[in-house]
Amino acid sequence: MFETHFQAHAEGLDKMRLVSGLGTRWELAETAIKPYPVCHFIHGCADAGIEISREIVAADIVAVEALLPEPTLHIVALPHAAKIVPKTDYEAKFSAQFVIATCLARGRFGLAELTEAAFADPELLALTARVTCKADPDSAFPTYFSGGLIVTLADGRQIRRHVRVNSGAGERALDVDGVSAKFMACAALSISDAAAARVRNVVLSLEQHPAAALGAALRAK
């Protein structure tokens, strides 16, 4: 059965690993949940930007140097001229410059930051243009999506932050509170906080509720 279905890289495939623990071990539980709706390669820098945002005023930033895994630069940082003026949510998700500038300016990055209003914000775009990207010499890629920032302020100070293990991965995997917060932020774009909370509460206790309870929560406004 196995011999007829494997194609690429078959010579290095551990075929028995596919069925080992079948029905008893659930690999889905090991899946990393992304805290931000952007390319995973940018997450370390996004973490660093949000941390730094708590210490500064974005208007004081004169330059930002972003450190990203070298193999990812052509995907999320180049060409620079195109990355600093995203026109769509898809382009923004793959622009390290835009994501980092948003994290520094707003202290967050969720679906609400992927709107046409954000792409037209002159102050945000000005900050985006001040972000330059380089290869991270201390990256843990591909195990983790490490990233770092060096933020230069108008008074000459530099604030540095490097994140080796990006949030959502490894020992920094999102817990129930983290996943709930992400759900509530996303759901709030379409339904009321009360309705979102009802859905969250049912999902977190599905073992105690019939399927109809989830359906009712999803229909409620």
Side-chain angles (χ1 to χ4, degrees):
M1 176 180 71
F2 292 126
E3 300 298 337
T4 60
H5 289 84
F6 295 115
Q7 298 177 19
H9 311 296
E11 68 282 355
L13 182 66
D14 181 358
K15 300 172 185 176
M16 294 311 299
R17 185 175 180 181
L18 295 175
V19 295
S20 176
L22 188 66
T24 60
R25 186 177 70 247
W26 303 95
E27 298 294 348
L28 183 61
E30 301 302 318
T31 301
I33 299 176
K34 299 200 307 185
Y36 317 119
V38 302
C39 178
H40 228 153
F41 299 154
I42 310 173
H43 279 219
C45 282
D47 286 339
I50 291 172
E51 288 182 19
I52 292 174
S53 73
R54 302 178 186 130
E55 305 174 23
I56 64 169
V57 175
D60 294 337
I61 298 174
V62 296
V64 180
E65 182 176 300
L67 303 174
L68 293 144
E70 191 279 332
T72 74
L73 289 175
H74 70 289
I75 299 173
V76 299
L78 299 172
H80 178 79
K83 294 296 186 180
I84 62 175
V85 286
K87 298 294 194 302
T88 67
D89 61 346
Y90 188 82
E91 291 180 356
K93 291 174 183 178
F94 287 86
S95 167
Q97 292 90 330
F98 178 79
V99 172
I100 291 165
T102 302
C103 290
L104 286 168
R106 301 184 177 178
R108 64 180 186 275
F109 203 106
L111 291 179
E113 281 61 61
L114 292 170
T115 63
E116 292 183 2
F119 309 148
D121 183 329
E123 293 183 358
L124 185 56
L125 292 179
L127 180 54
T128 298
R130 298 188 195 112
V131 180
T132 58
C133 300
K134 298 182 179 180
D136 179 6
D138 300 314
S139 178
F141 181 85
T143 302
Y144 302 115
F145 301 117
S146 308
L149 296 180
I150 303 172
V151 177
T152 303
L153 303 177
D155 62 7
R157 287 184 299 137
Q158 284 191 331
I159 299 179
R160 300 168 180 260
R161 194 76 84 253
H162 187 271
V163 175
R164 180 174 175 80
V165 180
N166 55 289
S167 59
E171 66 267 24
R172 300 190 66 202
L174 294 188
D175 57 14
V176 171
D177 289 341
V179 175
S180 295
K182 180 176 181 179
F183 167 74
M184 292 296 292
C186 293
L189 298 176
S190 299
I191 60 178
S192 69
D193 289 346
R198 284 193 292 270
V199 174
R200 176 201 60 199
N201 293 341
V202 171
V203 169
L204 291 178
S205 56
L206 281 175
E207 294 83 357
Q208 287 78 49
H209 297 283
L214 179 57
L218 291 169
R219 289 192 299 271
K221 297 183 179 180

